[in-house]
Amino acid sequence: MCEIEKLRNIAFQFIPETKDIEIKPLGAGHINDSFKVTADGKEYVLQRINHAIFKNVPELQNNILRVTTHIRRKLQEKGESEINRKVLTLVAAKNGALFHQDASGNYWRLMDFIAGSKSYDNINPQLAYRAGLAFGDFQRMLADLPGAPLFETIPHFHDMASRLADFSESVKADRAKRVAKTSGIIGEIEARAEEFGLPERLHREGKLPKRTNHCDTKVNNILFDENDKVLCVVDLDTVMPGYVLSDFGDFIRTGANTGAEDDKNLDNISVDLAIFEGYAKGYLEKATFLNETEIENLAFGAKLLTYMQTVRFFTDYLNGDTYYKTEYPEHNLVRTKAQFKLLQSLEENFDKMKSIVAKLKK
Ligand code: GN1
Ligand code: MG
């Protein structure tokens, strides 16, 4: 059976069989594979869930159902229009499950495609402001999610200590025999390990709470409509308990970088403070539940997530590229260097970022 035929059969586990169906690759995520399905005039997103990474697919899908159901209710209470464009809608398989497992053991899910939407890898301060409102609102809507805390779809996901332990182990094991090629990076990571243990220390002191976080607030995980108004936050696989610093920081890491996440030209990379300010303004307007410690450390969150991503890309490079999709052999090393350059720019601008937050808070 050819690839397209296989994909069609998978789609038919969720929707009625039809000849009027078209399937095309979609998006540029580093983890799952996505396709756009058009069948009988309706549009969907079909995704192969990377279950080497998301090991418990039923719990993962259950999290997404809880989150989207809660948000849908909130939007209805607010009297929003076009709710199906403002929150994701999962399509259940014909057997009632929220996923389908195929004969080779792969897991699949289907969602409605949000029509007339687009995402950006590069934005301007005005769009950053709108994105800040959107992620602030997202956290606020989920602050009273009923029931037990969400399932941790990836254990220790944004846990810096655990990421550093994986890094040290990978340096020691040197499975892909790449340590020799990496010169100063190991030392740069080690020199900052103590500084980035701060959130855990604040948590132990009772000052930094865990809240329901998106945990992947990449700039391209926000959908805008044709007039550049925010429609919807997507990529909900990692919505789970975490520190708000993570969500704030991951947006700055991706949205306020003047270069690309994998830029080969390090001169392109620096923090765009106008985008930082736009995002912080929008976020603080909506995230009215934050305590002092959380607000004071938002700028630190930008450094933290960029450091964390440096460590994650580098660890994957040392492991021989087993986690992130790569386009060429040294891709993870290029990503590592680009993230590290951004970290240096954030370090240079740290006081400015802190003053921006302090000014906005008043
Ligand atoms: C992954 O799926 P995607 O590409 O939006 C990753 C994030 C990283 C990001 C780096 C589950 O996000 O944590 O920050 O790549 N998601 C997972 O760009 O690991
Ligand atoms: Mg994504």
Side-chain angles (χ1 to χ4, degrees):
M1 218 191 304
C2 73
E3 190 60 19
I4 269 298
E5 216 174 311
K6 272 193 210 156
L7 288 171
R8 259 187 230 143
N9 285 338
I10 289 159
F12 295 151
Q13 302 300 316
F14 297 87
I15 56 171
E17 290 198 23
T18 172
K19 290 207 165 57
D20 178 15
I21 180 167
E22 196 189 28
I23 304 186
K24 290 188 202 153
L26 180 76
H30 294 347
I31 308 292
N32 299 318
D33 298 320
S34 305
F35 303 88
K36 179 163 175 198
V37 177
T38 312
D40 291 330
K42 273 209 73 172
E43 298 174 309
Y44 306 91
V45 178
L46 177 67
Q47 278 185 317
R48 189 175 71 85
I49 302 169
N50 186 330
H51 74 276
I53 293 179
F54 298 105
K55 296 198 164 66
N56 189 333
V57 174
E59 288 285 7
L60 166 76
Q61 289 299 90
N62 187 47
N63 268 8
I64 297 179
L65 182 68
R66 284 180 62 193
V67 166
T68 52
T69 306
H70 189 68
I71 292 180
R72 178 166 284 111
R73 189 173 313 132
K74 294 266 163 168
L75 295 174
Q76 280 159 352
E77 282 167 11
K78 276 201 262 178
E80 285 277 350
S81 59
E82 293 197 293
I83 289 179
N84 286 337
R85 296 179 81 201
K86 293 178 183 159
V87 60
L88 290 176
T89 307
L90 289 173
V91 178
K94 289 173 181 166
N95 67 6
L98 291 170
F99 57 88
H100 164 71
Q101 192 173 20
D102 68 18
S104 11
N106 288 312
Y107 287 88
W108 298 84
R109 68 177 163 216
L110 195 77
M111 287 165 280
D112 285 348
F113 179 82
I114 298 191
S117 63
K118 56 187 173 187
S119 67
Y120 290 101
D121 288 314
N122 298 300
I123 53 167
N124 60 36
Q126 175 67 13
L127 295 189
Y129 168 70
R130 293 178 189 171
L133 292 173
F135 278 123
D137 210 25
F138 183 84
Q139 286 182 345
R140 191 165 72 170
M141 287 192 282
L142 291 175
D144 61 352
L145 181 76
L150 289 171
F151 177 77
E152 273 195 52
T153 54
I154 302 178
H156 305 293
F157 187 52
H158 279 179
D159 173 342
M160 200 56 247
S162 153
R163 295 290 178 188
L164 283 169
D166 293 349
F167 152 80
S168 299
E169 193 277 326
S170 300
V171 174
K172 238 180 252 149
D174 196 12
R175 287 178 202 86
K177 298 278 165 284
R178 285 172 159 177
V179 166
K181 292 200 243 176
T182 60
S183 59
I185 298 168
I186 294 175
E188 297 284 4
I189 290 175
E190 286 171 346
R192 290 163 174 83
E194 159 89 24
E195 177 191 356
F196 289 109
L198 177 70
E200 291 308 323
R201 293 194 288 277
L202 291 172
H203 182 66
R204 280 195 296 273
E205 289 166 17
K207 296 177 182 157
L208 187 64
K210 291 217 172 174
R211 305 189 189 273
T212 301
N213 256 16
H214 183 278
C215 288
D216 192 12
T217 52
K218 277 170 85 162
V219 57
N220 61 13
N221 281 333
I222 288 216
L223 301 186
F224 292 88
D225 72 7
E226 36 293 267
N227 302 316
D228 279 337
K229 293 263 149 55
V230 171
L231 278 173
C232 182
V233 165
V234 297
D235 208 345
L236 305 178
D237 292 321
T238 52
V239 180
M240 61 176 134
Y243 307 129
V244 294
L245 312 186
S246 285
D247 275 8
F248 184 86
D250 225 5
F251 186 89
I252 300 304
R253 178 182 77 78
T254 55
N257 183 354
T258 54
E261 188 182 62
D262 59 353
D263 222 307
K264 287 184 178 152
N265 182 356
L266 297 182
D267 293 338
N268 289 341
I269 298 173
S270 63
V271 57
D272 182 328
L273 291 176
I275 290 185
F276 178 92
E277 177 156 4
Y279 186 77
K281 183 169 188 297
Y283 179 68
L284 286 169
E285 270 176 40
K286 290 286 180 181
T288 47
F289 50 81
L290 298 176
N291 72 26
E292 275 304 305
T293 304
E294 289 174 304
I295 298 174
E296 261 170 32
N297 286 291
L298 289 177
F300 176 84
K303 289 200 295 182
L304 172 69
L305 264 282
T306 307
Y307 175 72
M308 193 183 297
Q309 198 60 56
T310 308
V311 172
R312 290 178 64 191
F313 282 145
F314 188 59
T315 303
D316 197 36
Y317 178 70
L318 294 184
N319 290 345
D321 313 316
T322 59
Y323 188 92
Y324 293 108
K325 293 185 202 166
T326 50
E327 284 156 23
Y328 51 90
E330 301 292 288
H331 201 170
N332 272 319
L333 184 61
V334 169
R335 287 168 170 155
T336 304
K337 290 181 179 164
Q339 291 293 290
F340 183 65
K341 174 71 200 295
L342 180 63
L343 176 62
Q344 289 175 307
S345 172
L346 292 165
E347 289 173 344
E348 281 157 25
N349 288 283
F350 187 49
D351 290 337
K352 288 188 195 147
M353 295 192 296
K354 282 198 357 190
S355 333
I356 290 171
V357 172
K359 185 188 80 189
L360 289 170
K361 190 187 95 177
K362 281 184 207 138

